[in-house]
Amino acid sequence: MHATVGIIGAGPAGLLLARLLHQAGIDSVVLEARDRAYVEQRQRAGILEQITVDALRASGAGERMDREGIVHHGIELRFDGRSHRVDFPALADGRNVMVYAQTEMVKDLIALQLAEGGPLLFEAEARGVSQDGDRVTVHYDRDGREQTLTCDWVVGCDGFHGVAKDAIPEDLRRDYERTYPYSWLGILADAPPVYDELIYAHSDRGFALASMRSATVSRLYLQVPNGTDPADWPDEKIWDELDRRFALAEDPAWKLTRGPITAKSVLPMRSHVTEPMRHGRVLLAGDAAHIVPPTGAKGLNLAAADVIVLARAFARYRQTGSTDLLDTYSKTCLERVWRAEHFSYFMTTTLHVAPEQSPFDTRLQLSQLARVAASRHAAAELAENYVGVRLDGPLG
Ligand code: APR
Ligand code: PHB
């Protein structure tokens, strides 16, 4: 089988890229190791920057997002027993974010790609990528036998544990890594959110985040030690701890609405960047190239930004034969990646209480949060990073 662009991975990056290429008249084949049901049920974040919203619309898969997504105009910070709202439009040139679960975005992209796109092969696990001049070959297993996909280009959208990054020779590849001394216990609950916007809470017991999936489903997280077993957290213990961490001195009666917890998982916190994001005719996009702690809600949006830039580059190459945008792809994306890495690091280290953290460090965190609450400039810096720095030029 041959494709102009071979895509490894059917997560948001791979699926969105396949759709944007389809819209540009460029054929692709997507190879996904897991089955459709697994890919569609993986719980991930749910905050879309405007560029991601625009890209999903440009891909042709934005209709349900426009119908079911919830536009959010700010977030709330809670710290030191008080609350402060960060007003996005007022601080970030009128921009907002959209709450729409990654699971739903993936379902929409898969359905459309299967209906009118190029081949999307599930249970097709890539084992390696080899390059020979202008031909790139993906070696993969499917239906119990080894198969090959020859391509003009291969894009590794295969996440942190993918194989595409191995196509970058070790002597040319640089990996940057930070791990955090805590994790998140994340839950889904059939409980209507009692809040209109996301609440990020700093407390002496640790971080907590109140998000949502709909008017009837809450998505909540609390900081736990690395290695925590979700089984050690029965429902009532979770709800009690969340209420403690969101406690408000000005409103002691404030409590979350409780309901059956339908999903419970522990996710580690880490930052990672692989440079460069290209070697020859193999390019990396999304989590295959970079990981951010979820505190800044950047993972999905960085993946979208990569494939928007890449789809433009492939379209330019198809129209003009120029590889100029392909040649600058890695540099263009890494500028945005490192901005998002820093913002995610800032949000994570400002809001979480590390084990054995000194009282001095805690006072520094509270001083930074008080600064955001008191200074328009500090609040604007957070708002601009949260809604996302702009990608210049039209999509596609
Ligand atoms: N062959 C084929 N598919 C593979 C292989 C392989 N060898 N290795 C991994 N995959 C698939 C995974 O099964 C997964 O479906 O690649 C996909 C990678 O998807 P994601 O990990 O979701 O990465 P990405 O598409 O970049 O999206 C980033 O997803 O993980 C979240 O927080 C992250 O929100 C961010 C978004
Ligand atoms: C989520 O809704 O899952 C979510 C929202 C914001 C974050 C992280 C996760 O910063």
Side-chain angles (χ1 to χ4, degrees):
M1 182 164 46
H2 181 82
T4 299
V5 181
I7 298 172
I8 305 174
L15 291 165
L16 187 56
L17 177 61
R19 292 302 312 158
L20 293 177
L21 292 177
H22 177 82
Q23 301 288 65
I26 299 169
D27 68 284
S28 69
V29 170
V30 180
L31 302 175
E32 167 53 51
R34 308 302 293 263
D35 64 27
R36 178 176 182 178
Y38 177 86
V39 171
E40 291 189 343
Q41 59 72 43
R42 263 185 320 212
Q43 279 308 319
R44 291 285 197 275
I47 300 295
L48 276 56
E49 294 176 13
Q50 190 61 49
I51 62 155
T52 308
V53 168
D54 293 346
L56 200 55
R57 288 174 181 151
S59 79
E63 189 271 333
R64 190 159 69 103
M65 172 195 67
D66 283 328
R67 197 171 64 245
E68 298 178 7
I70 312 164
V71 177
H72 276 206
H73 305 281
I75 58 171
E76 184 181 321
L77 299 177
R78 282 194 188 175
F79 58 96
D80 214 10
R82 66 191 178 118
S83 164
H84 174 77
R85 183 170 184 270
V86 179
D87 182 337
F88 292 156
L91 294 162
D93 306 322
R95 287 182 288 155
N96 302 298
V97 294
M98 171 87 82
V99 174
Y100 188 63
Q102 182 173 313
T103 48
E104 303 318 299
M105 176 176 166
V106 163
K107 287 173 190 170
D108 298 339
L109 288 164
I110 287 173
L112 191 56
Q113 187 66 359
L114 290 175
E116 62 165 62
L120 166 49
L121 307 182
F122 290 103
E123 297 179 275
E125 181 167 7
R127 294 294 184 189
V129 179
S130 57
Q131 301 192 61
D132 176 13
D134 290 351
R135 173 189 288 257
V136 197
T137 302
V138 182
H139 307 271
Y140 68 97
D141 295 342
R142 191 165 195 254
D143 298 331
R145 59 192 175 88
E146 290 184 13
Q147 305 189 42
T148 59
L149 170 67
T150 59
C151 316
D152 299 343
W153 304 86
V154 166
V155 183
C157 299
D158 46 355
F160 183 66
H161 301 289
V163 298
K165 63 165 68 80
D166 298 335
I168 304 174
E170 280 197 19
D171 61 326
L172 298 179
R173 184 174 138 187
R174 297 177 301 284
D175 288 289
Y176 302 86
E177 174 93 10
R178 172 185 286 274
T179 55
Y180 296 83
Y182 33 72
S183 298
W184 279 9
L185 171 61
I187 66 167
L188 270 180
D190 289 339
V194 289
Y195 38 91
D196 297 329
E197 295 171 335
L198 273 59
I199 307 171
Y200 289 77
H202 172 286
S203 84
D204 58 10
R205 301 177 65 91
F207 170 78
L209 169 60
S211 184
M212 63 191 71
R213 290 292 176 265
S214 69
T216 59
V217 177
S218 297
R219 177 66 164 160
L220 297 136
Y221 301 93
L222 70 154
Q223 174 190 337
V224 292
N226 285 337
T228 291
D229 180 350
D232 293 341
W233 282 84
D235 293 14
E236 287 316 301
K237 178 180 175 183
I238 293 174
W239 289 117
D240 291 346
E241 185 61 28
L242 284 167
D243 276 340
R244 289 190 197 100
R245 297 190 187 185
F246 288 116
L248 280 175
E250 63 207 32
D251 181 3
W254 196 95
K255 298 285 182 203
L256 293 164
T257 302
R258 302 188 179 195
I261 292 177
T262 57
K264 206 181 285 186
S265 62
V266 172
L267 48 147
M269 309 284 280
R270 66 169 156 243
S271 303
H272 183 98
V273 179
T274 292
E275 294 185 2
M277 292 172 58
R278 176 191 176 189
H279 179 69
R281 287 178 166 256
V282 178
L283 304 103
L284 305 180
D287 275 17
H290 40 72
I291 296 287
V292 285
T295 327
K298 289 297 156 199
L300 174 57
N301 296 295
L302 277 181
D306 290 348
V307 300
I308 291 165
V309 172
L310 194 47
R312 279 185 203 152
F314 278 127
R316 164 99 90 195
Y317 177 64
R318 178 174 185 268
Q319 290 152 10
T320 68
S322 167
T323 61
D324 61 342
L325 295 185
L326 286 165
D327 296 340
T328 55
Y329 165 73
S330 182
K331 181 178 184 299
T332 301
C333 289
L334 285 169
E335 284 174 14
R336 183 185 187 87
V337 166
W338 280 109
R339 172 84 313 267
E341 288 288 353
H342 180 271
F343 177 65
S344 304
Y345 165 82
F346 163 76
M347 290 286 280
T348 301
T349 55
T350 301
L351 289 164
H352 291 70
V353 178
E356 289 87 54
Q357 176 169 306
S358 71
F360 181 87
D361 290 337
T362 302
R363 298 302 296 171
L364 288 182
Q365 290 175 325
L366 292 172
S367 169
Q368 174 60 47
L369 291 165
R371 172 80 177 147
V372 170
S375 158
R376 179 181 174 77
H377 301 290
E381 172 67 8
L382 190 155
E384 279 192 9
N385 278 282
Y386 196 98
V387 301
V389 292
R390 284 193 172 85
L391 275 177
D392 55 2
L395 287 181

